[in-house]
Amino acid sequence: MTDLETPAAAPSRTDALRRAAPALLGYAGVRALGLIALVSWSAANGKSAHTLLTARWDSLWYTRVAASGYGWQVRLPSGDVHSNLAFFPLLPWLERLVAALSPLSYADAGLLVSTLASLAAAWGVFAVADHLYGRRAGVCAALVWAVLPVGIVQSMAYSESLFTALAAWSLHSVLTGRWVTAGLLAALAGLTRPVGAAVVAALWVAAVTSFVRERSAPAAQGASRWRRALGMLVAPLGAAGYVLWVGHRTHRGPLGYLDVQAQWGNGFDGGYAFARFVGDKFTSFPSALAGAGLTVGVVLVICLYVSCVRQRQPLPLLVYSGIVTALALCASGYFGSKPRLLLPAFPLLLPLALALARLRTRRSAAILGAVAVGSAIYGAFWLNGSGPP
């Protein structure tokens, strides 16, 4: 038997919350610092921080889906059609639910959902790292995820926080042998973002590996096998259901969703378009500095993944972060979105978290504090400028 086949004894909710409290308090502090910087910077520029968080880019599309459902689209002068069918439904469903149960607008409901989801995501990141490497590493992992340069997205009415929460807790359920829970959370992740396929793949790989490794079949394992099989069956229902519905809605069959994404300029070309985009930066100055920064960023991401492999992370985490990273880096459109598309790939941060956990508390706190200040300033500058498309 493997450690993925026997559910771990679950602590009480009170004990689990108490154990995660330092991570959650630290995470909330980092996000509060980011919001203070954003409000101050926006006020100095005559802009509304609230508008920046709730009513720009993708958040507007989610709000429109919540308010009016699917079917709205924009036709560009080039003839391309941007349809709101490109946006998966779980976040707007939750926005509609919260708005129906409260006096909040759809936009504010989205902000509330994302805020709560970001805390759940930080808790999930902590839980995965804590399960593998201990509480100290778990706290560091949650804080490293909080202080990422594009961490301000975690405070926006976007779907990254919601997806990361579902993905992290699904992976934690896989690691602790709770297959049905893992499958249900994977299905919800599949209703949140297209990259939900990464969660499904991680669960399937873990489950298949567990089946293959079994050498005997005592009666006591029968229930575990059925739970594992049920989790595998449930996991892809969210993503598959929405994709098939879009295909039916557009009368284009199972590949209809890909056609919708293609109209947005999104596709998968193995990174060719992104490589050309980076290469073009080196044709002039000072854009060459941006090209160098992008190159360093890609190399850093790849090095982190190699570190995860050398760290011998559990296979589900490697599969999940590998797929998220590949889809983010090898997509053919919206190059400015790539940093935020990598936000859910939290297992990449575990080597950094372990390195910080080995330091003295004062030193790790000083490092994280300095990076948090830099992240807050960058997030305020970024969101008041080009922001996360």
Side-chain angles (χ1 to χ4, degrees), residues 333-359:
Y334 290 89
F335 305 121
S337 300
K338 292 188 183 297
R340 72 172 175 88
L341 296 180
L342 286 167
L343 268 179
F346 69 90
L348 295 178
L349 305 177
L350 295 185
L352 299 178
L354 274 177
L356 286 169
R358 297 188 183 105
L359 300 177

Side-chain angles (χ1 to χ4, degrees), residues 119 191 231 234 281 288 298 309:
L119 287 170
L191 284 171
V234 170
K281 295 291 183 182
V298 171
V309 175

Side-chain angles (χ1 to χ4, degrees), residues 90-107:
L90 185 57
L91 178 57
W93 284 350
L94 292 175
E95 289 178 347
R96 182 180 297 180
L97 176 63
V98 172
L101 298 177
S102 72
L104 296 177
S105 66
Y106 292 119

